Structures are given as structure tokens and as C-alpha cells.
Amino acid sequence: MAENTPAISLRGLTKSFGSVTAVSNLDLDIKSGEFFSMLGPSGSGKTTVLRMIAGFELATSGQVFLDGEDVSAKAPFDRNVNTVFQDYALFPHMTVLENVAYGLRVRGVGKAERNAQALEALETVRLGEFGGRKPSELSGGQRQRVALARAIIVKPKVLLLDEPLGALDLKLREQMQIELKELQRELAITFIFVTHDQEEALTLSDRIAVFNQGKIEQIGTPRELYEHPKTPFVAGFVGTTNIFEADEAKSLFGKSIKASIRPERVEIVKGKSSNTHMGRVIEAIYVGSATRVHIKLDAGPKITALVQSGSTVDESWHRDQEVQVALNEKDLVVLETK
């Protein structure tokens, strides 16, 4: 394998279910050792792509390459990848140690050796003392770590994760995000992570592919996607934003363009200046660290401003309150129109 050969390459990948095309002519390279996320709404094609990489679905056309080898026609067990699912799929009658060791057992590894490796894998996910327990005796986060240990014990080249944190509550999910990123760095395995949660993707990923209707709208680092979205879909799906149609942008900025500005870049100010616009508060929602202020501008558009708690701006907003809003042209992101 050449040094710069991608861990995964997809070429012209298409998957149809009857008359429905789930994935359309997809080209994608995922680097070795990368934490790569596929982000998109339900039905966007991201899980179908993951299943074709795993071999659970065969492509209608196109190719899947693993380390430069065409594995398009190979069965899942002939591909050096492993998958962690949202439901964990642990065997309830087996102990945690037996669950983790199962993949080695299927491969014919002796009991002493597979148990030693299973214990090492459990230590990696900080569950070394839980080997004798049954899955039912563990918390959701602990079961998720057992599923990770079972997946990494066979040392796959690529680990596929299909919304593995979706069943966890918010606090536990946030904790597991940190642990998952630390684990990926420690193991230096390529992680391909499927999620519809944009905050999760931004937190975990080296790069993200944003899926929409079976195609990739944009690929980039979390910062690139958030600060420089190329399309209205990416701007609206990765975080929240204010999108202006051409006529709205013309009235506000003097430019007939489709554009976006993030709520945290919208300033509520005192005292008029050249770039301020009058408006009235529609709703103010306090979320702890900030307040989301929804405003109807006199010029027409409705926008949202995100005001950080503790700022110098008066935070006692009320409906129909008159406010002045500063929109700086330097914060405007021009979006592609099809």
C-alpha cells in the first residue's frame, strides 16, 4: 500500500432501491487515521454509504476500495472493517469479557489468548474491572464502551459507527463524545461516524461530509463547514443561521445575492450607525449561556441574534420591544444558488 493511499475510496458509488436512488454517483476519499463523519438528515444516504463500505449492502454501480483494494464484491467478513451499531447488539447471556472476546473466538483464537486480549481491550475503554458482569448490569454508556471494545479487538483497519450514541441521554452522550475522540487518537484507527446531530459531528470530526438527497453537498473541517458553508442547505443544517434571499440582501446590504450570517454575528446595539436596522422582538428564548432573540426587521426579514449572557447589552427582552440591529457585511457568507 502506498503511503498516501486513502483508507477508503468510493468511486461512482450508486445505490438504488427499485425506482428510488438512495446514493447517486458518489466519489469520496477518507484518509488513513482520520475521524470522518457523514452528517445529514434521515434519508440523505449516509447510512446506506456506511452499509456499502461494510458490505451489508452491495452497490448498484461503482466501487469501494479499502487500502487501495477493490472490495466491492467481497462479503463483510472478508473486509478489514468492523461496525458499531446504535443498539450495541451485545449477547445478553454472555459476560462482558465473553462478548468482547467473541470475534476472536469465531476466528479460532485459543481461550487464554482471546481472554487476555479481551481484557486488554476492556482496559482501553476503562472497563477492565467489569469483565465478569452481564450487559444488563451495565449502564448505557458502559454497554456502548463494551461494543467499542468488541469492535476494536479484531484490529480493523476501519471502524464504522452507525449513530452509536443516539440512544444515550444528553449528558452521557457528551461524555461519550470526548471518550470516543480520545479512543480514536489512542488507537490511530480510521473512524467513519454516521450522525444526524450536527453538534456531535462538529465535536468529534477531523472532516465532515454533509449529505443531502443521496449526494455530498460539501466536505470540510468543522470550522470550514460552519464558517464557510457553500450552499443554503449546509448553512442551515450545520448550526443555525440567518439566510437572506437576493431581494432581502439587496435591501439590507445593497447586493443582490443569496447569503447567510450566523446569529452570534448579529449585534443588538444602542445608538444608530450606518449598518444598523430597526426591528421588533418577536420572541426571546433564554438558554443559559445565551439568549436567542428573534427579531422582525422593519426592512422585512426575520432574523435571530444570539446574545451571550453577561454581555453589556440589556437582556430583559420582551415581545414587541424595539431594537437596533447591526449587520456587518464582513460577516456575510455568499451562498451558491443552483
Side-chain angles (χ1 to χ4, degrees):
M1 180 188 71
E3 183 178 344
N4 294 324
T5 301
I8 293 290
S9 283
L10 309 178
R11 290 292 175 267
L13 203 65
T14 296
K15 180 64 179 180
S16 298
F17 298 96
S19 61
V20 177
T21 300
V23 178
S24 179
N25 197 30
L26 189 73
D27 291 329
L28 175 64
D29 287 334
I30 300 173
K31 302 170 188 174
S32 182
E34 186 173 29
F35 199 124
F36 189 91
S37 288
M38 297 192 289
L39 172 68
S42 297
S44 61
K46 59 190 187 300
T47 297
T48 302
V49 171
L50 192 82
R51 290 179 61 82
M52 286 191 284
I53 294 172
F56 301 139
E57 297 280 359
L58 294 180
T60 303
S61 61
Q63 296 168 291
V64 177
F65 294 90
L66 175 62
D67 274 352
E69 177 191 359
D70 188 348
V71 297
S72 307
K74 289 194 172 184
F77 52 80
D78 285 330
R79 305 184 186 198
N80 191 17
V81 302
N82 215 339
T83 308
V84 177
F85 300 99
Q86 182 175 333
D87 63 2
Y88 317 144
L90 301 177
F91 298 113
H93 63 286
M94 292 184 181
T95 65
V96 165
L97 190 71
E98 289 167 341
N99 265 284
V100 174
Y102 182 77
L104 297 180
R105 176 182 165 187
V106 170
R107 287 164 172 77
V109 177
K111 184 175 181 180
E113 183 180 348
R114 69 175 183 255
N115 284 350
Q117 291 188 41
L119 183 58
E120 182 180 347
L122 284 171
E123 292 286 356
T124 300
V125 297
R126 292 172 289 282
L127 287 177
E129 70 274 25
F130 291 85
R133 296 192 186 183
K134 295 289 181 66
S136 61
E137 299 174 302
L138 304 180
S139 68
Q142 289 168 337
R143 287 196 295 273
Q144 181 57 266
R145 281 187 271 169
V146 172
L148 285 167
R150 186 179 60 183
I152 65 176
I153 195 173
V154 295
K155 297 180 173 59
K157 176 67 179 177
V158 177
L159 188 62
L160 309 173
L161 302 109
D162 187 8
E163 305 209 37
L165 310 182
L168 305 179
D169 62 56
L170 178 60
K171 285 290 185 183
L172 186 53
R173 191 162 70 244
E174 290 174 345
Q175 177 187 333
M176 283 299 301
Q177 288 169 7
I178 296 170
E179 293 186 5
L180 198 59
K181 184 62 178 174
E182 289 176 349
L183 180 64
Q184 191 267 339
R185 285 176 176 158
E186 181 181 339
L187 296 172
I189 293 174
T190 304
F191 276 29
I192 303 178
F193 189 90
V194 164
T195 182
H196 63 270
D197 185 324
Q198 52 91 11
E199 277 195 29
E200 193 165 79
L202 293 173
T203 299
L204 289 168
S205 313
D206 297 318
R207 287 192 305 151
I208 303 167
V210 182
F211 279 71
N212 183 30
Q213 297 182 339
K215 297 181 179 180
I216 293 176
E217 290 257 338
Q218 188 175 346
I219 299 176
T221 65
R223 184 178 294 275
E224 287 169 347
L225 292 178
Y226 188 83
E227 296 189 1
H228 304 287
K230 291 182 178 179
T231 68
F233 179 83
V234 175
F237 195 80
V238 181
T240 57
T241 196
N242 299 292
I243 294 179
F244 304 110
E245 299 297 334
D247 58 335
E248 295 172 330
K250 180 72 173 177
S251 68
L252 294 171
F253 305 101
K255 296 182 177 181
S256 185
I257 54 174
K258 188 154 189 172
S260 164
I261 189 168
R262 295 292 183 185
E264 62 269 24
R265 304 289 189 181
V266 176
E267 296 181 76
I268 299 176
V269 297
K270 295 179 180 178
K272 280 192 173 183
S273 66
S274 59
N275 64 340
T276 59
H277 303 271
M278 298 304 296
R280 292 187 178 277
V281 174
I282 302 170
E283 189 66 81
I285 302 172
Y286 177 70
V287 292
S289 61
T291 301
R292 294 194 191 100
V293 187
H294 300 272
I295 301 164
K296 175 73 165 64
L297 296 179
D298 292 350
K302 293 179 182 179
I303 64 169
T304 300
L306 189 68
V307 182
Q308 295 298 318
S309 296
S311 73
T312 56
V313 181
D314 179 18
E315 297 178 25
S316 57
W317 316 108
H318 57 81
R319 290 182 185 179
D320 210 36
Q321 177 180 344
E322 190 175 57
V323 292
Q324 295 180 74
V325 176
L327 300 172
N328 295 307
E329 193 173 324
K330 66 180 178 61
D331 295 322
L332 206 61
V333 177
V334 179
L335 304 173
E336 295 175 0
T337 55
K338 297 180 180 179

